[in-house]
Amino acid sequence: MQRNRSDERDVIFSRMGMNIEEQKAYYARHPEKKEIDGELRASSWDKPMGDSMGYKLFDAFENSHDDMQDIIASLSYNMTPKCDPICDDATRLTRAINDIMPMFGVEAWGITKLNEENYYSYHGRGKYKNEPVDSSYPYAIVFLTSMNKDMINRAPRFETMLATLKGYTDVGLIGLQLANYINHVGYRADNNMTTRYKVVLPPLGEKAGLGSVGRHGLMVTKQWGSRVRLGAVLTDMPLVPNENKAFDITAFCSQCGLCARCCPGKAIDVGQKPETGWKISDTDCYRIWMAVGTDCGICLSACPLTQGVDNKLLDNIEDESVINEILRVHKEKYGLRTFIKEELGFLKD
Ligand code: SF4
Ligand code: SF4
């Protein structure tokens, strides 16, 4: 049953967090990953800002957001319905969700039906690490928040990480509020966030009509390009899925390839999309993160849609002449990619 499902323990962040016993068990199953993972584990992260005051103030932001995510995760365990269901009409309940989502500050969302393959097979992190994932929820409400463009355009520096950490906290908090609301309507709800992922988010976001998964393996949206953070709440509340495809980025990615060209780790596939899909080398990516001492994020800023593309062009993004026009304008305005050199004030010494 779990053969079609990704194992969260294969994700690089799970692998890097394994204790000795877990490593023994994992590399017995995956001997091909032992050497490279050992090499990465033995290396240390660079500290390009040293122990400067700017770094200490950044580090405080990182620690505060790690704390926030721990708090949200701990509140997200053991959430149960507060009453018997007060309504079982899927249309009425869907209308309630659609009216309430903007009040949580959500910029875009979609409802989709969950299949077995949307779920991870085993947890790789958090309280349920190494336990099978409960795949009993039939629906997901998938949502996103945008990340600050000026911070993403400073990649690969600390500013990008400020934006991504804030994004993780935002979607965690939104998910907690939404799951709690669903509990008060009388249904089960699970806040799918950082250390307690049950589902693989980018393909689920695509299925929920939020955008399309790009060459870099991340969600690309019409409005914010790649600078988005996804969250999801899984539930057994009866809902009406809205699985209208937003758009298909495949043809555009085939011509563009800017994320792959700009990736300092050569971690992103070049060329046409293979049948099995474009692949990212998580180890080559992680190595760059260690070298720059923070989340890299260059692929997010390199994506032309992140910088904004005329809506009329986006409506025909699969058309070859439109693709060429978007790429021509992007090149004229930004060259290979945008990069804001100016450091954020509080990071300067
Ligand atoms: S984050 Fe950086 S290293 Fe990783 S895939 Fe993107 S561009 Fe490459
Ligand atoms: S940079 Fe280009 S190839 Fe990469 S995800 Fe964005 S559109 Fe696709």
Side-chain angles (χ1 to χ4, degrees), residues 156 216 218 259 262-268 280-281 284-286 288-289 295-300:
H216 51 17
L218 304 168
C259 53
C262 294
C263 173
K266 303 206 180 324
I268 303 173
I280 306 292
S281 164
D284 289 340
C285 175
Y286 193 77
I288 293 297
W289 286 31
D295 295 13
C296 161
I298 287 176
C299 47
L300 305 183

Side-chain angles (χ1 to χ4, degrees), residues 59-107:
D59 202 34
F61 185 93
E62 182 178 4
N63 292 334
S64 72
H65 276 269
D66 285 350
D67 285 355
M68 281 303 295
Q69 282 160 46
D70 286 347
I71 292 166
I72 299 165
S74 66
L75 292 171
S76 299
Y77 287 109
N78 304 320
M79 294 182 79
T80 50
K82 310 286 183 200
C83 55
D84 289 336
I86 57 177
C87 171
D88 61 2
D89 176 348
T91 306
R92 188 78 181 79
L93 290 168
T94 303
R95 201 189 318 151
I97 294 296
N98 287 335
D99 284 347
I100 282 166
M101 289 306 272
M103 295 186 215
F104 293 145
V106 181
E107 293 173 284

Side-chain angles (χ1 to χ4, degrees), residues 16-182:
M16 292 299 113
M18 284 173 178
N19 63 31
I20 300 291
E21 284 310 308
E22 288 163 346
Q23 287 175 35
K24 270 189 207 156
Y26 184 80
Y27 297 115
R29 296 194 303 276
H30 298 282
E32 75 286 356
K33 291 184 182 155
K34 188 174 178 182
E35 191 179 335
I36 180 66
D37 283 7
E39 199 187 292
L40 289 173
R41 216 173 270 116
S43 329
S44 53
W45 285 69
D46 269 9
K47 289 180 81 179
M49 290 171 72
D51 285 320
S52 62
M53 182 54 72
Y55 178 74
K56 286 178 185 164
L57 292 171
F58 159 78
D59 202 34
F61 185 93
E62 182 178 4
N63 292 334
S64 72
H65 276 269
D66 285 350
D67 285 355
M68 281 303 295
Q69 282 160 46
D70 286 347
I71 292 166
I72 299 165
S74 66
L75 292 171
S76 299
Y77 287 109
N78 304 320
M79 294 182 79
T80 50
K82 310 286 183 200
C83 55
D84 289 336
I86 57 177
C87 171
D88 61 2
D89 176 348
T91 306
R92 188 78 181 79
L93 290 168
T94 303
R95 201 189 318 151
I97 294 296
N98 287 335
D99 284 347
I100 282 166
M101 289 306 272
M103 295 186 215
F104 293 145
V106 181
E107 293 173 284
W109 69 95
I111 295 169
T112 186
K113 186 132 184 51
L114 287 164
N115 300 323
E116 270 295 310
E117 62 268 23
N118 297 128
Y119 283 95
Y120 282 115
S121 53
Y122 285 87
H123 288 280
R125 292 190 282 173
K127 187 174 166 184
Y128 299 129
K129 195 173 175 185
N130 295 315
E131 289 184 22
V133 170
D134 166 15
S135 60
S136 62
Y137 297 90
Y139 298 105
I141 303 158
V142 192
F143 49 88
L144 59 79
T145 60
S146 62
M147 297 188 287
N148 184 292
K149 187 155 115 181
D150 286 350
M151 300 301 117
I152 295 299
N153 283 344
R154 285 175 163 92
R157 293 208 317 248
F158 286 101
E159 288 88 338
T160 306
M161 195 161 171
L162 297 177
T164 54
L165 286 166
K166 170 80 170 57
Y168 280 120
T169 301
D170 286 348
V171 292
L173 267 176
I174 291 164
L176 182 62
Q177 293 174 85
L178 176 58
N180 194 37
Y181 170 71
I182 292 172

